[in-house]
């Protein structure tokens, strides 16, 4: 695999920032008040949870959302690993004076 | 950092089942200050078993390596008593009583757990010295404790719902409010 880092950097800059996994079906309370703080490393206690703000089925949904999210992250790590493992090659043209 | 896995959501699922049944259930208070962690799933589920019926008794049969949970509740007794009265009034056998059959079917569905190592028994004899009860048997290989609270919550709802049904029918016959 050959990657031109300049092109990659340019493409990444141009790509709009958006959610990699669709969260429209996920209960907003569980997403914003439970999952995101947990991902940010915050320690939540069972007493912090407001059980009236979601349905039992919402927990199945967010668990599924986390699975998809984990798979996306895995693929991203594979891609990053692939780039990191590739041997560097010199530019064919002169790059500096 | 908290490990976010399926078990973590299961712990919340179990407590949500308890909360939906009774927002003031003691087990919610018991885990109030515990940090959310999937490792608690078995413990929370086990401690939630006694939150659904008025009286829960636990036994362990060492010989058979069997966990036995026995549930008593006025709603269980009331339903079977109403069935007895209904059958007496209509002069039908218990096996021909549609309320009994509907209840057994509903409980069968409510207490279905995706695990092969468990069973439950219904004791509906209102004249038996031990009273009416629901018994859950968990064999040594059972590992579905996290399914039990939701199953028990549904079982409890079944008794409440079918008791209302039989009372409604009763009122229609007798013309009483």
């Amino acid at each position: 695999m050959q990657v031109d880092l300049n092109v990659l950097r340019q493409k990444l800059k141009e790509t709009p920032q958006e959610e990699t996994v669709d969260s429209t079906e996920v209960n907003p309370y569980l997403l914003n008040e439970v999952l995101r703080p947990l991902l940010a490393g915050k320690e939540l206690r069972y007493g912090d949870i407001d059980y009236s703000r979601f349905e039992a089925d919402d927990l199945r949904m967010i668990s599924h959302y986390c699975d998809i999210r984990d798979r996306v992250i895995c693929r991203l790590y594979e891609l990053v690993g692939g780039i990191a493992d590739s041997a560097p090659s010199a530019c064919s043209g002169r790059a500096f004076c | 950092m908290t490990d976010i896995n399926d078990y973590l959501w299961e712990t919340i699922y179990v407590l949500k089942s308890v909360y939906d049944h009774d927002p003031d259930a003691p087990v919610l208070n018991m885990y109030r200050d515990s940090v959310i962690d999937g490792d608690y799933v078995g413990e929370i589920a086990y401690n939630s078993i006694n939150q659904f019926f008025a009286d829960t008794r636990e036994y362990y049969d060492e010989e058979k390596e069997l966990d036995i949970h026995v549930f008593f509740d006025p709603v269980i007794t009331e339903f079977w008593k109403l069935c007895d009265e209904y059958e007496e009034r209509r002069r039908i056998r218990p096996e021909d009583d549609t309320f009994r059959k509907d209840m057994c079917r509903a409980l069968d569905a409510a207490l279905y757990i995706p695990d092969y190592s468990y069973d439950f028994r219904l004791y509906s004899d209102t004249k038996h010295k031990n009273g009416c009860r629901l018994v859950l048997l968990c064999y040594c290989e059972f590992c579905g404790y996290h399914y039990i609270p939701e199953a028990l919550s549904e079982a409890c709802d079944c008794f409440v719902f079918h008791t209302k049904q039989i009372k409604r029918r009763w009122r229609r016959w007798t013309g009483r409010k």
Side-chain angles (χ1 to χ4, degrees):
Chain A
M1 182 171 69
Q2 278 198 332
V3 180
D4 186 324
L5 288 181
N6 280 332
V7 174
L8 178 67
R9 196 176 58 183
Q10 190 57 37
K11 291 283 178 198
L12 285 172
K13 266 186 186 171
E14 286 166 14
T15 306
Q17 203 169 17
E18 59 185 23
E19 274 191 299
T20 44
V21 184
D22 182 20
S23 64
T24 46
E25 299 287 312
V26 181
N27 177 289
Y29 169 75
L30 289 175
L31 185 67
N32 299 318
E33 311 286 329
V34 181
L35 180 60
R36 287 196 171 136
L38 287 174
L39 289 171
K42 195 180 167 197
E43 269 193 352
L44 280 184
R45 290 165 201 282
Y46 288 102
D48 295 328
I49 294 185
D50 183 349
Y51 296 93
S52 69
R53 294 184 63 185
F54 60 93
E55 297 300 323
D57 282 347
D58 292 333
L59 290 160
R60 302 273 184 244
M61 198 62 89
I62 197 156
S63 178
H64 182 60
Y65 170 81
C66 288
D67 286 345
I68 297 173
R69 193 182 160 278
D70 287 349
R71 261 180 271 154
V72 169
I73 290 171
C74 259
R75 280 208 303 271
L76 188 62
Y77 273 121
E78 279 172 23
L79 183 67
V80 170
I83 293 170
D85 290 345
S86 57
S89 60
C91 291
S92 52
R94 196 170 166 181
F96 54 88
C97 295
Chain B
M1 190 172 160
T2 309
D3 183 15
I4 303 165
N5 53 34
D6 288 350
Y7 292 117
L8 179 142
W9 301 114
E10 283 293 347
T11 61
I12 303 173
Y13 192 88
V14 167
L15 292 174
K16 171 69 176 164
S17 299
V18 174
Y19 175 88
D20 285 347
H21 182 77
D22 175 11
D24 300 317
V27 76
L28 295 168
N29 206 33
M30 193 192 292
Y31 287 96
R32 249 180 83 85
D33 298 324
S34 304
V35 173
I36 293 174
D37 189 335
D39 288 350
Y40 283 127
V41 68
E43 184 191 317
I44 291 178
Y46 198 88
N47 287 328
S48 298
I49 290 176
N50 60 1
Q51 306 289 301
F52 297 92
F53 292 98
D55 183 11
T56 303
R57 294 175 205 175
E58 283 157 23
Y59 306 94
Y60 183 67
D61 184 331
E62 277 187 35
E63 205 177 303
K64 293 177 185 162
E65 294 184 70
L66 181 65
D67 256 327
I68 305 164
H69 305 272
V70 188
F71 307 99
F72 299 90
D73 198 286
V75 78
I76 298 178
T77 310
E78 187 184 19
F79 176 78
W80 299 121
K81 273 188 178 168
L82 286 167
C83 283
D84 284 352
E85 283 179 42
Y86 174 77
E87 290 147 18
E88 205 180 301
R89 196 179 172 101
R90 291 207 60 187
R91 292 188 184 142
I92 56 171
R93 295 176 307 160
E95 46 269 44
D96 296 325
D97 180 350
T98 51
F99 288 109
R100 252 180 224 273
K101 282 196 263 188
D102 286 351
M103 174 56 107
C104 290
R105 265 199 295 267
L107 282 176
D108 231 18
L111 294 168
Y112 170 76
I113 291 169
D115 190 293
Y116 64 91
S117 195
Y118 83 106
D119 206 351
F120 70 90
R121 306 258 190 278
L122 278 172
Y123 293 90
S124 58
D125 184 354
T126 53
K127 292 170 190 78
H128 193 277
K129 62 180 170 62
N130 291 337
C132 300
R133 60 210 184 275
L134 175 66
V135 178
L136 181 69
L137 307 165
C138 303
Y139 300 92
C140 61
E141 289 178 11
F142 182 70
C143 51
Y145 272 105
H146 54 292
Y147 294 113
I148 291 183
E150 187 189 13
L152 291 177
S153 175
E154 282 183 27
C156 195
D157 291 345
C158 282
F159 278 105
V160 172
F161 175 78
H162 286 84
T163 300
K164 277 184 190 159
Q165 294 285 96
I166 199 166
K167 279 182 174 172
R168 194 175 298 150
R169 176 79 68 88
W170 200 251
R171 276 200 301 271
R172 214 182 300 155
W173 276 353
T174 58
R176 276 186 287 175
K177 291 269 170 183

